[in-house]
């Protein structure tokens, strides 16, 4: 049979199945054996041995014994290597453009969705399955996405490496014994043949790597990269398509909840402090990265966390440090050959070292990972130009504008070759994973905020008193006090004034934060330089937003015009 084909079984014929193991997460010492629901007819599987939902201990054994570069560290985590690719390959990610996706998906300038046709997808899919069929064993995970029980998605991951199986065991939601036995047909399937390259001479291919999504077939194929993050983010892209179809907003955000039940969403690109600020021992962690907002409230999409490890220390990030134990996966870290102590400062393999672990490894995680409607929506920006206020209250139109913009600034040391602040924008704070036009997600966000009374905030964790190199970074202690005031509601009770150019509402006071820093113009000794820098940043915002102005929602296009009017005026 060809890749993805199905056949009708005669009534007298029993579908061929494979014996496999399964993991009961409610009793880690108990492993039962049963017949899984994987049929050969499902996907042309002709495997000699399917290893089905193995326990972490079993996956450790396979990785250490058979996968070169896999070791157990001093804390019990599995350290492994992802090969030549140590990060995602966005230019090699493609989506089938067909009757299902042609009108729905965001295509063209600014879009992360690079088109391919179904024929090419089928070629890559058959290449992947042929490779997997040649192996003496494959690993299969059946798991869930979304803690909202009414809207969970069943996913099946077929992979060649124990490391990939353990990674997805950690990152997806682990089924109970009863759920696994009644799993049935998955809603989406990944065929991860990442060790095997695609054929570079196949139409649309530009390298030996290809990560392909077919929405109508509910399938994803990975060739030419063993970086595990492709599976995590590929499924996130799928959720960005499936959930809005159910009027559920998918979000690239952190999320926590106070003891009184107040929920906050945190958006922010790398270096803005999203992880640090959303991790709060006085609040419950709902999730660190991917969420849904339905008419019932918020829910984490994932069952685990995927944390950056570069320069990790027990003092700065104790929860992440302590979560890296037996069951966790460490990617591309360097450790001592004898003691197996990890050197988190060593970036000789990559700066993108990572740890993947179940969310229950975090002490204050809220299980199940669901909460009521958010009270606050916090957009984080590390403004290295030093002209955005430390905190601003946003109206709905401004929230949509800054949500679509997804701004932060790179500074020297963040990336090679950067000597001065460089503005960077990522639509909805996760452009690489969007399937629909950013304006659609922004409109859903505004509608939910309005319906449930949430307040939008723009928090600058970057510079004050000048740009990078002349000013200084806003103290983390001050930013934490600002976040505390947002959570408590006290920041809503103070007086506000509007800034020029960006038209932001800034508070007159925040408890235990110097009032003079709340308006950035006060902190610049050279007012002309401040004005010039402010106008420069406003121009960068306007140039970036020009990408989105040609998209129309509704017949009159009023929403796009309203969002555009909420941007800077210069």
């Amino acid at each position: 049979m060809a890749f993805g084909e199905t056949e009708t079984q005669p009534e007298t014929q029993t579908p061929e199945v494979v014996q496999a193991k399964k993991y009961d997460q409610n009793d880690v010492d108990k492993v039962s054996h049963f017949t899984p629901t994987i049929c050969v007819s499902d996907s042309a599987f002709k495997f000699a041995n399917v290893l089905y939902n193995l326990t972490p201990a079993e996956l450790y054994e396979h990785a250490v014994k058979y996968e070169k570069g896999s070791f157990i560290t001093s804390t019990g985590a599995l350290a492994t290597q992802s090969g030549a690719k140590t990060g995602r390959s966005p230019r090699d990610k493609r989506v089938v453009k067909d009757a299902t996706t042609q009108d729905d998906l965001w295509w063209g300038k600014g879009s992360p969705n690079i088109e391919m046709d179904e024929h090419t997808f089928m070629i890559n899919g058959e290449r992947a399955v042929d490779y997997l069929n040649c192996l003496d064993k494959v690993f299969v995970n059946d798991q869930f996405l979304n803690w909202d029980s009414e809207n969970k998605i069943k996913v099946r991951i077929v992979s060649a490496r124990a490391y990939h199986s353990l990674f997805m065991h950690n990152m997806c939601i682990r089924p109970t014994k009863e759920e696994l036995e009644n799993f049935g047909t998955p809603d989406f399937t990944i065929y991860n043949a990442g060790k095997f390259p695609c054929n570079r001479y196949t139409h649309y291919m530009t390298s030996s790597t290809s990560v392909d999504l077919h929405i109508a077939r509910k399938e994803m194929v990975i060739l030419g990269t063993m970086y595990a993050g492709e599976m995590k983010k590929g499924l996130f892209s799928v959720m960005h398509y499936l959930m809005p179809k159910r009027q559920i907003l998918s979000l690239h955000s952190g999320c926590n909840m106070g003891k009184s039940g107040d929920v906050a969403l945190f958006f922010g690109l790398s270096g803005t402090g999203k992880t640090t600020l959303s991790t709060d021992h006085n609040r419950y962690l709902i999730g660190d990265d991917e969420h849904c907002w339905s008419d019932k409230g918020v829910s984490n999409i994932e069952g685990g966390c995927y944390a950056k490890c570069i320069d990790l220390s027990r003092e700065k990030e104790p929860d992440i440090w302590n979560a890296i134990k037996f069951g966790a996966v460490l990617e591309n870290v360097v450790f001592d050959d004898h003691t197996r102590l990890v050197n988190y400062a060593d970036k000789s393999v990559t700066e993108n070292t990572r740890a993947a672990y179940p969310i229950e490894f975090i002490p204050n995680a809220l299980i199940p990972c669901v909460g009521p409607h958010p009270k606050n929506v916090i957009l984080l920006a590390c403004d290295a130009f030093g002209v955005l206020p430390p905190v601003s209250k946003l109206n709905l139109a401004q929230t949509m504008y800054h949500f679509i913009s997804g701004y932060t600034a790179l500074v020297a040391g963040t990336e090679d070759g950067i000597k001065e602040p460089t503005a960077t924008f990522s639509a909805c704070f996760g452009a690489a994973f969007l399937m629909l036009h950013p304006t659609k997600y922004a409109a859903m966000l505004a509608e939910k905020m309005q319906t449930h009374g949430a307040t939008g905030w723009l928090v600058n964790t970057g510079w004050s008193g000048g740009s990078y190199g002349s000013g200084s970074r806003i103290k983390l202690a001050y930013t934490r006090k600002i976040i505390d005031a947002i959570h408590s509601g006290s920041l809503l009770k103070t007086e506000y004034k509007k800034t020029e150019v960006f038209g932001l509402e800034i508070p007159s006071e925040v408890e235990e934060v110097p009032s003079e820093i709340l308006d950035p113009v006060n902190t610049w000794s050279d007012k002309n330089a401040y004005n010039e820098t402010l106008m420069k940043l406003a121009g960068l915002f306007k140039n970036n937003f020009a990408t989105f102005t040609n998209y129309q929602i509704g017949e009159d296009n009023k929403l796009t015009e309203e969002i555009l009017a909420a941007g800077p005026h210069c």
Side-chain angles (χ1 to χ4, degrees), residues 464-480:
S464 178
S467 298
Y468 173 83
S470 60
S472 58
R473 189 156 190 184
I474 298 168
K475 292 182 179 179
L476 178 58
Y478 294 158
T479 303
R480 287 193 184 279

Side-chain angles (χ1 to χ4, degrees), residues 152-186:
K152 65 185 178 184
I153 301 298
K154 297 185 292 184
V155 292
R156 173 168 293 162
I157 303 99
V158 184
S159 56
R161 293 191 62 179
Y163 141 52
H164 287 155
S165 186
L166 180 59
F167 176 89
M168 294 307 283
H169 169 90
N170 289 347
M171 294 310 304
C172 295
I173 299 167
R174 292 157 288 284
T176 64
K177 177 180 178 179
E178 292 74 20
E179 287 173 332
L180 199 58
E181 289 176 341
N182 298 288
F183 193 80
T185 303

Side-chain angles (χ1 to χ4, degrees), residues 96 98 118 121 188 212-220:
V96 173
D98 58 11
E118 183 171 36
F121 178 88
F188 205 86
D212 307 328
L213 285 177
H214 196 317
I215 296 296
R217 294 185 63 86
K218 304 175 183 178
E219 293 171 341
M220 176 179 177

Side-chain angles (χ1 to χ4, degrees), residues 120-134:
T120 305
F121 178 88
M122 297 302 291
I123 290 174
N124 284 352
E126 186 144 330
R127 186 176 179 91
V129 170
D130 284 347
Y131 168 75
L132 292 167
N133 280 336
C134 291

Side-chain angles (χ1 to χ4, degrees), residues 38-296:
I38 303 174
C39 301
V40 170
S41 61
D42 282 349
S43 52
F45 287 167
K46 302 179 181 69
F47 305 138
N49 189 17
V50 170
L51 303 178
Y52 185 71
N53 276 52
L54 297 190
T55 65
E58 292 171 305
L59 292 169
Y60 265 57
E61 292 169 0
H62 281 278
V64 171
K65 187 173 182 180
Y66 299 111
E67 297 179 8
K68 184 179 179 181
S70 295
F71 300 90
I72 300 174
T73 69
S74 60
T75 63
L78 178 69
T80 189
Q81 300 284 321
S82 66
K85 296 293 181 75
T86 57
R88 290 183 299 104
S89 302
R91 294 180 181 177
D92 296 307
K93 177 186 171 186
R94 290 168 177 78
V95 183
V96 173
K97 191 173 186 179
D98 58 11
T100 300
T101 59
Q102 183 171 353
D103 296 327
D104 276 354
L105 264 60
W106 178 27
W107 304 102
K109 184 180 179 181
S111 168
N113 300 311
I114 305 171
E115 69 176 86
M116 71 186 308
D117 59 30
E118 183 171 36
H119 179 72
T120 305
F121 178 88
M122 297 302 291
I123 290 174
N124 284 352
E126 186 144 330
R127 186 176 179 91
V129 170
D130 284 347
Y131 168 75
L132 292 167
N133 280 336
C134 291
L135 304 176
D136 60 358
K137 62 177 180 292
V138 296
F139 301 90
V140 175
N141 295 41
D142 278 350
Q143 296 181 261
F144 298 115
L145 298 176
N146 197 356
W147 285 84
D148 176 358
S149 59
E150 294 181 10
N151 292 289
K152 65 185 178 184
I153 301 298
K154 297 185 292 184
V155 292
R156 173 168 293 162
I157 303 99
V158 184
S159 56
R161 293 191 62 179
Y163 141 52
H164 287 155
S165 186
L166 180 59
F167 176 89
M168 294 307 283
H169 169 90
N170 289 347
M171 294 310 304
C172 295
I173 299 167
R174 292 157 288 284
T176 64
K177 177 180 178 179
E178 292 74 20
E179 287 173 332
L180 199 58
E181 289 176 341
N182 298 288
F183 193 80
T185 303
D187 297 311
F188 205 86
T189 301
I190 294 177
Y191 301 93
N192 188 345
K195 195 172 183 180
F196 197 66
C198 68
N199 185 331
R200 291 178 296 139
Y201 297 101
T202 304
H203 189 40
Y204 295 102
M205 301 300 102
T206 55
S207 74
S208 61
T209 297
S210 193
V211 180
D212 307 328
L213 285 177
H214 196 317
I215 296 296
R217 294 185 63 86
K218 304 175 183 178
E219 293 171 341
M220 176 179 177
V221 170
I222 300 175
L223 291 164
T225 174
M226 290 186 286
Y227 180 64
E230 294 288 8
M231 295 182 287
K232 165 188 160 67
K233 292 304 187 182
L235 289 175
F236 190 32
S237 295
V238 171
M239 294 295 279
H240 268 308
Y241 177 82
L242 295 178
M243 291 297 101
K245 290 289 185 180
R246 304 184 186 188
Q247 300 305 308
I248 296 172
L249 178 59
S250 49
L251 299 165
H252 189 206
S253 71
C255 183
N256 66 23
M257 184 179 78
K259 303 231 167 49
S260 62
D262 60 295
V263 168
L265 294 172
F266 292 82
F267 297 89
L269 304 180
S270 180
T272 60
K274 181 180 75 169
T275 301
T276 300
L277 295 171
S278 62
T279 303
D280 187 332
H281 290 287
N282 295 315
R283 297 174 65 83
Y284 300 109
L285 178 68
I286 293 177
D288 73 328
D289 196 46
E290 302 177 9
H291 292 87
C292 288
W293 189 350
S294 71
D295 58 4
K296 295 186 299 181

